[in-house]
């Protein structure tokens, strides 16, 4: 069963954010609606910009400089990414957001697929790494999407499985020092597959 958790965010990091959670099931009827609040957190916006700046600086210089300072840039980028993750999750543990968090947590029961739709017109809130929310991060049954607040929801269309064989085009390349016969044999023996090899 698929569930859709729609988080409507109204506000900003300077003044605080009013949050409305609506939970829908496959039939797209709203089962429940809960409201909450996320307190002001301008430091979170600063953390987003710091991470973005560090990320964009990785690899900007010449090749020689990149070799000399690449580790430092990666370290700064990883450090700012971890700080951003921690600040986001700390913010989402706020006391007035707890009723929404608890309702969301009740929906994350495998094997139910859960889609979390973040709806807001605030650009900074859309830039937050919602996929790193501790309820979603590492959960193979959950995904996050972003939307404008007035967008019409669309039904999810499942891609039908096609009958017949899967077609594979294999280019094995130069065989000097490599045993490509084993690779060729594995590809030829795949069930429900038709493999074409290019020399």
């Amino acid at each position: 069963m698929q569930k859709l958790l729609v988080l409507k965010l109204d506000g900003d990091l300077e003044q605080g954010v009013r949050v409305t959670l609506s939970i829908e099931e496959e039939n797209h009827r709203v089962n429940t609606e809960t409201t909450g609040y996320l307190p002001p957190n301008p430091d979170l916006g600063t953390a987003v910009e710091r991470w973005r700046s560090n990320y964009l600086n990785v690899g900007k210089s010449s090749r020689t400089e990149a070799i000399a300072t690449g580790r430092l840039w990666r370290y700064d980028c990883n450090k700012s990414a971890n700080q951003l993750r921690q600040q986001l999750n700390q913010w989402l543990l706020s006391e007035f957001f707890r009723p929404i968090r608890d309702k969301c947590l009740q929906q994350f029961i495998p094997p139910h697929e859960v889609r979390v739709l973040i709806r807001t017109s605030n650009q900074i809130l859309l830039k937050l790494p919602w996929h790193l929310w501790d309820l979603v991060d590492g959960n193979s049954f959950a995904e996050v999407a972003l939307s404008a607040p007035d967008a019409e929801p669309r039904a999810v269309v499942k891609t039908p499985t096609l009958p017949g064989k899967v077609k594979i085009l294999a280019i094995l390349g130069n065989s000097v020092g490599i045993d490509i016969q084993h690779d060729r044999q594995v590809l030829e023996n795949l069930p429900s597959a038709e493999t074409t090899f290019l020399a």
Side-chain angles (χ1 to χ4, degrees), residues 98-126:
R98 188 164 305 279
I100 289 180
R101 179 184 172 82
D102 291 345
K103 286 281 187 191
C104 288
L105 192 56
Q106 293 170 6
Q107 307 307 312
F108 287 90
I109 303 169
H112 299 296
E113 294 178 14
V114 179
R115 291 180 294 138
V116 179
L117 180 62
I118 308 296
R119 286 191 157 173
T120 183
S121 58
N122 184 283
Q123 292 302 307
I124 299 295
L125 295 176
L126 288 172

mmCIF file of all heavy atoms in Angstrom, residues 98-126:
data_model
loop_
_atom_site.group_PDB
_atom_site.id
_atom_site.type_symbol
_atom_site.label_atom_id
_atom_site.label_comp_id
_atom_site.label_asym_id
_atom_site.label_seq_id
_atom_site.Cartn_x
_atom_site.Cartn_y
_atom_site.Cartn_z
ATOM 1 N N ARG A 98 6.445 18.050 17.134
ATOM 2 C CA ARG A 98 6.366 16.656 17.566
ATOM 3 C C ARG A 98 5.064 15.945 17.164
ATOM 4 O O ARG A 98 5.111 14.787 16.738
ATOM 5 C CB ARG A 98 6.573 16.544 19.075
ATOM 6 C CG ARG A 98 6.687 15.086 19.519
ATOM 7 C CD ARG A 98 7.261 14.938 20.891
ATOM 8 N NE ARG A 98 8.542 15.574 21.073
ATOM 9 C CZ ARG A 98 9.718 15.058 20.707
ATOM 10 N NH1 ARG A 98 9.755 13.900 20.105
ATOM 11 N NH2 ARG A 98 10.837 15.693 20.935
ATOM 12 N N PRO A 99 3.873 16.592 17.240
ATOM 13 C CA PRO A 99 2.658 15.868 16.807
ATOM 14 C C PRO A 99 2.728 15.428 15.342
ATOM 15 O O PRO A 99 2.284 14.336 14.999
ATOM 16 C CB PRO A 99 1.535 16.889 17.009
ATOM 17 C CG PRO A 99 2.066 17.861 18.002
ATOM 18 C CD PRO A 99 3.549 17.906 17.806
ATOM 19 N N ILE A 100 3.321 16.263 14.500
ATOM 20 C CA ILE A 100 3.453 15.907 13.084
ATOM 21 C C ILE A 100 4.477 14.799 12.921
ATOM 22 O O ILE A 100 4.261 13.834 12.195
ATOM 23 C CB ILE A 100 3.819 17.150 12.252
ATOM 24 C CG1 ILE A 100 2.592 18.057 12.192
ATOM 25 C CG2 ILE A 100 4.302 16.764 10.862
ATOM 26 C CD1 ILE A 100 2.762 19.313 11.418
ATOM 27 N N ARG A 101 5.598 14.930 13.610
ATOM 28 C CA ARG A 101 6.641 13.896 13.525
ATOM 29 C C ARG A 101 6.080 12.540 13.968
ATOM 30 O O ARG A 101 6.313 11.523 13.321
ATOM 31 C CB ARG A 101 7.832 14.295 14.390
ATOM 32 C CG ARG A 101 8.946 13.270 14.373
ATOM 33 C CD ARG A 101 10.076 13.660 15.316
ATOM 34 N NE ARG A 101 11.038 12.601 15.432
ATOM 35 C CZ ARG A 101 12.018 12.355 14.572
ATOM 36 N NH1 ARG A 101 12.171 13.118 13.517
ATOM 37 N NH2 ARG A 101 12.842 11.350 14.755
ATOM 38 N N ASP A 102 5.324 12.537 15.073
ATOM 39 C CA ASP A 102 4.755 11.282 15.576
ATOM 40 C C ASP A 102 3.789 10.658 14.573
ATOM 41 O O ASP A 102 3.800 9.443 14.359
ATOM 42 C CB ASP A 102 4.060 11.509 16.921
ATOM 43 C CG ASP A 102 5.045 11.824 18.045
ATOM 44 O OD1 ASP A 102 6.262 11.591 17.858
ATOM 45 O OD2 ASP A 102 4.605 12.313 19.097
ATOM 46 N N LYS A 103 2.943 11.494 13.933
ATOM 47 C CA LYS A 103 2.004 10.980 12.922
ATOM 48 C C LYS A 103 2.766 10.419 11.725
ATOM 49 O O LYS A 103 2.394 9.381 11.181
ATOM 50 C CB LYS A 103 1.047 12.082 12.454
ATOM 51 C CG LYS A 103 -0.006 12.447 13.453
ATOM 52 C CD LYS A 103 -1.110 11.434 13.434
ATOM 53 C CE LYS A 103 -2.239 11.932 14.326
ATOM 54 N NZ LYS A 103 -3.225 10.902 14.562
ATOM 55 N N CYS A 104 3.823 11.111 11.318
ATOM 56 C CA CYS A 104 4.647 10.618 10.195
ATOM 57 C C CYS A 104 5.282 9.288 10.558
ATOM 58 O O CYS A 104 5.280 8.347 9.761
ATOM 59 C CB CYS A 104 5.733 11.630 9.844
ATOM 60 S SG CYS A 104 5.138 13.123 9.038
ATOM 61 N N LEU A 105 5.828 9.203 11.754
ATOM 62 C CA LEU A 105 6.519 8.010 12.202
ATOM 63 C C LEU A 105 5.599 6.786 12.160
ATOM 64 O O LEU A 105 6.023 5.688 11.819
ATOM 65 C CB LEU A 105 7.070 8.226 13.603
ATOM 66 C CG LEU A 105 8.063 7.210 14.142
ATOM 67 C CD1 LEU A 105 9.250 7.058 13.205
ATOM 68 C CD2 LEU A 105 8.547 7.614 15.516
ATOM 69 N N GLN A 106 4.317 6.990 12.455
ATOM 70 C CA GLN A 106 3.352 5.888 12.433
ATOM 71 C C GLN A 106 3.141 5.338 11.020
ATOM 72 O O GLN A 106 2.715 4.201 10.847
ATOM 73 C CB GLN A 106 2.004 6.356 12.980
ATOM 74 C CG GLN A 106 2.037 6.691 14.453
ATOM 75 C CD GLN A 106 0.759 7.384 14.906
ATOM 76 O OE1 GLN A 106 -0.203 7.517 14.154
ATOM 77 N NE2 GLN A 106 0.761 7.836 16.148
ATOM 78 N N GLN A 107 3.456 6.134 9.999
ATOM 79 C CA GLN A 107 3.239 5.716 8.612
ATOM 80 C C GLN A 107 4.418 4.943 8.035
ATOM 81 O O GLN A 107 4.280 4.253 7.042
ATOM 82 C CB GLN A 107 2.965 6.944 7.725
ATOM 83 C CG GLN A 107 1.851 7.837 8.221
ATOM 84 C CD GLN A 107 0.564 7.082 8.487
ATOM 85 O OE1 GLN A 107 0.108 6.290 7.672
ATOM 86 N NE2 GLN A 107 -0.036 7.314 9.650
ATOM 87 N N PHE A 108 5.588 5.088 8.661
ATOM 88 C CA PHE A 108 6.801 4.458 8.134
ATOM 89 C C PHE A 108 6.928 3.026 8.640
ATOM 90 O O PHE A 108 7.805 2.694 9.419
ATOM 91 C CB PHE A 108 8.037 5.270 8.527
ATOM 92 C CG PHE A 108 8.166 6.551 7.757
ATOM 93 C CD1 PHE A 108 7.599 7.721 8.220
ATOM 94 C CD2 PHE A 108 8.845 6.581 6.551
ATOM 95 C CE1 PHE A 108 7.717 8.896 7.518
ATOM 96 C CE2 PHE A 108 8.968 7.755 5.829
ATOM 97 C CZ PHE A 108 8.393 8.915 6.314
ATOM 98 N N ILE A 109 6.035 2.170 8.167
ATOM 99 C CA ILE A 109 6.040 0.764 8.556
ATOM 100 C C ILE A 109 6.237 -0.067 7.293
ATOM 101 O O ILE A 109 5.351 -0.118 6.445
ATOM 102 C CB ILE A 109 4.720 0.375 9.249
ATOM 103 C CG1 ILE A 109 4.483 1.257 10.459
ATOM 104 C CG2 ILE A 109 4.735 -1.096 9.625
ATOM 105 C CD1 ILE A 109 3.103 1.122 11.051
ATOM 106 N N PRO A 110 7.425 -0.681 7.127
ATOM 107 C CA PRO A 110 7.636 -1.517 5.942
ATOM 108 C C PRO A 110 6.611 -2.642 5.912
ATOM 109 O O PRO A 110 6.187 -3.096 6.968
ATOM 110 C CB PRO A 110 9.050 -2.070 6.145
ATOM 111 C CG PRO A 110 9.695 -1.133 7.102
ATOM 112 C CD PRO A 110 8.591 -0.610 7.972
ATOM 113 N N PRO A 111 6.158 -3.064 4.787
ATOM 114 C CA PRO A 111 6.614 -2.720 3.447
ATOM 115 C C PRO A 111 5.808 -1.603 2.795
ATOM 116 O O PRO A 111 5.812 -1.472 1.579
ATOM 117 C CB PRO A 111 6.422 -4.024 2.685
ATOM 118 C CG PRO A 111 5.173 -4.594 3.283
ATOM 119 C CD PRO A 111 5.226 -4.194 4.741
ATOM 120 N N HIS A 112 5.096 -0.778 3.577
ATOM 121 C CA HIS A 112 4.316 0.314 3.001
ATOM 122 C C HIS A 112 5.248 1.353 2.398
ATOM 123 O O HIS A 112 6.195 1.797 3.038
ATOM 124 C CB HIS A 112 3.431 0.989 4.056
ATOM 125 C CG HIS A 112 2.428 0.073 4.674
ATOM 126 N ND1 HIS A 112 1.412 -0.501 3.947
ATOM 127 C CD2 HIS A 112 2.282 -0.379 5.934
ATOM 128 C CE1 HIS A 112 0.683 -1.264 4.740
ATOM 129 N NE2 HIS A 112 1.204 -1.220 5.954
ATOM 130 N N GLU A 113 4.969 1.733 1.154
ATOM 131 C CA GLU A 113 5.738 2.783 0.502
ATOM 132 C C GLU A 113 5.158 4.121 0.934
ATOM 133 O O GLU A 113 3.941 4.313 0.927
ATOM 134 C CB GLU A 113 5.656 2.645 -1.016
ATOM 135 C CG GLU A 113 6.321 1.397 -1.538
ATOM 136 C CD GLU A 113 6.174 1.256 -3.044
ATOM 137 O OE1 GLU A 113 5.805 2.241 -3.716
ATOM 138 O OE2 GLU A 113 6.431 0.157 -3.537
ATOM 139 N N VAL A 114 6.046 5.036 1.300
ATOM 140 C CA VAL A 114 5.614 6.349 1.774
ATOM 141 C C VAL A 114 6.279 7.416 0.925
ATOM 142 O O VAL A 114 7.497 7.424 0.763
ATOM 143 C CB VAL A 114 5.978 6.560 3.262
ATOM 144 C CG1 VAL A 114 5.550 7.939 3.724
ATOM 145 C CG2 VAL A 114 5.338 5.487 4.127
ATOM 146 N N ARG A 115 5.468 8.299 0.376
ATOM 147 C CA ARG A 115 5.984 9.470 -0.329
ATOM 148 C C ARG A 115 5.726 10.685 0.543
ATOM 149 O O ARG A 115 4.610 10.872 1.031
ATOM 150 C CB ARG A 115 5.302 9.637 -1.685
ATOM 151 C CG ARG A 115 5.696 8.556 -2.674
ATOM 152 C CD ARG A 115 5.019 8.743 -4.015
ATOM 153 N NE ARG A 115 3.574 8.562 -3.862
ATOM 154 C CZ ARG A 115 2.664 9.331 -4.455
ATOM 155 N NH1 ARG A 115 3.017 10.310 -5.231
ATOM 156 N NH2 ARG A 115 1.385 9.104 -4.258
ATOM 157 N N VAL A 116 6.755 11.500 0.748
ATOM 158 C CA VAL A 116 6.626 12.728 1.528
ATOM 159 C C VAL A 116 6.694 13.880 0.540
ATOM 160 O O VAL A 116 7.701 14.052 -0.153
ATOM 161 C CB VAL A 116 7.747 12.851 2.578
ATOM 162 C CG1 VAL A 116 7.598 14.135 3.357
ATOM 163 C CG2 VAL A 116 7.750 11.643 3.512
ATOM 164 N N LEU A 117 5.621 14.650 0.455
ATOM 165 C CA LEU A 117 5.553 15.781 -0.464
ATOM 166 C C LEU A 117 5.654 17.067 0.345
ATOM 167 O O LEU A 117 4.806 17.336 1.199
ATOM 168 C CB LEU A 117 4.246 15.738 -1.256
ATOM 169 C CG LEU A 117 4.029 16.852 -2.273
ATOM 170 C CD1 LEU A 117 5.107 16.821 -3.349
ATOM 171 C CD2 LEU A 117 2.649 16.735 -2.902
ATOM 172 N N ILE A 118 6.707 17.840 0.100
ATOM 173 C CA ILE A 118 6.921 19.116 0.773
ATOM 174 C C ILE A 118 6.324 20.194 -0.114
ATOM 175 O O ILE A 118 6.771 20.395 -1.246
ATOM 176 C CB ILE A 118 8.431 19.389 0.992
ATOM 177 C CG1 ILE A 118 9.117 18.216 1.683
ATOM 178 C CG2 ILE A 118 8.642 20.703 1.716
ATOM 179 C CD1 ILE A 118 8.648 17.934 3.076
ATOM 180 N N ARG A 119 5.312 20.900 0.394
ATOM 181 C CA ARG A 119 4.651 21.957 -0.375
ATOM 182 C C ARG A 119 4.911 23.305 0.286
ATOM 183 O O ARG A 119 4.490 23.537 1.415
ATOM 184 C CB ARG A 119 3.148 21.726 -0.418
ATOM 185 C CG ARG A 119 2.748 20.631 -1.324
ATOM 186 C CD ARG A 119 1.269 20.663 -1.505
ATOM 187 N NE ARG A 119 0.965 19.998 -2.744
ATOM 188 C CZ ARG A 119 -0.257 19.727 -3.149
ATOM 189 N NH1 ARG A 119 -1.285 20.080 -2.433
ATOM 190 N NH2 ARG A 119 -0.443 19.131 -4.288
ATOM 191 N N THR A 120 5.594 24.185 -0.452
ATOM 192 C CA THR A 120 5.848 25.527 0.057
ATOM 193 C C THR A 120 6.231 26.439 -1.097
ATOM 194 O O THR A 120 6.717 25.978 -2.129
ATOM 195 C CB THR A 120 6.963 25.538 1.126
ATOM 196 O OG1 THR A 120 7.117 26.851 1.645
ATOM 197 C CG2 THR A 120 8.287 25.042 0.566
ATOM 198 N N SER A 121 6.028 27.730 -0.897
ATOM 199 C CA SER A 121 6.470 28.708 -1.893
ATOM 200 C C SER A 121 7.788 29.348 -1.474
ATOM 201 O O SER A 121 8.372 30.112 -2.233
ATOM 202 C CB SER A 121 5.400 29.782 -2.093
ATOM 203 O OG SER A 121 5.127 30.423 -0.858
ATOM 204 N N ASN A 122 8.272 29.026 -0.275
ATOM 205 C CA ASN A 122 9.515 29.603 0.221
ATOM 206 C C ASN A 122 10.717 28.877 -0.379
ATOM 207 O O ASN A 122 10.883 27.676 -0.177
ATOM 208 C CB ASN A 122 9.542 29.526 1.754
ATOM 209 C CG ASN A 122 10.753 30.198 2.330
ATOM 210 O OD1 ASN A 122 11.846 29.649 2.294
ATOM 211 N ND2 ASN A 122 10.562 31.398 2.860
ATOM 212 N N GLN A 123 11.553 29.621 -1.103
ATOM 213 C CA GLN A 123 12.682 29.016 -1.813
ATOM 214 C C GLN A 123 13.730 28.426 -0.878
ATOM 215 O O GLN A 123 14.334 27.402 -1.193
ATOM 216 C CB GLN A 123 13.331 30.054 -2.744
ATOM 217 C CG GLN A 123 12.435 30.457 -3.898
ATOM 218 C CD GLN A 123 12.034 29.278 -4.752
ATOM 219 O OE1 GLN A 123 12.879 28.516 -5.209
ATOM 220 N NE2 GLN A 123 10.740 29.091 -4.964
ATOM 221 N N ILE A 124 13.964 29.048 0.269
ATOM 222 C CA ILE A 124 14.950 28.505 1.208
ATOM 223 C C ILE A 124 14.463 27.174 1.765
ATOM 224 O O ILE A 124 15.232 26.217 1.888
ATOM 225 C CB ILE A 124 15.244 29.491 2.359
ATOM 226 C CG1 ILE A 124 15.828 30.795 1.802
ATOM 227 C CG2 ILE A 124 16.170 28.882 3.386
ATOM 228 C CD1 ILE A 124 17.184 30.643 1.153
ATOM 229 N N LEU A 125 13.179 27.069 2.087
ATOM 230 C CA LEU A 125 12.639 25.804 2.592
ATOM 231 C C LEU A 125 12.726 24.706 1.526
ATOM 232 O O LEU A 125 12.944 23.543 1.845
ATOM 233 C CB LEU A 125 11.193 25.979 3.062
ATOM 234 C CG LEU A 125 10.987 26.898 4.270
ATOM 235 C CD1 LEU A 125 9.502 27.068 4.560
ATOM 236 C CD2 LEU A 125 11.725 26.382 5.487
ATOM 237 N N LEU A 126 12.579 25.096 0.264
ATOM 238 C CA LEU A 126 12.700 24.108 -0.819
ATOM 239 C C LEU A 126 14.140 23.640 -1.000
ATOM 240 O O LEU A 126 14.379 22.549 -1.503
ATOM 241 C CB LEU A 126 12.178 24.694 -2.137
ATOM 242 C CG LEU A 126 10.663 24.862 -2.240
ATOM 243 C CD1 LEU A 126 10.296 25.618 -3.509
ATOM 244 C CD2 LEU A 126 9.959 23.512 -2.198
#
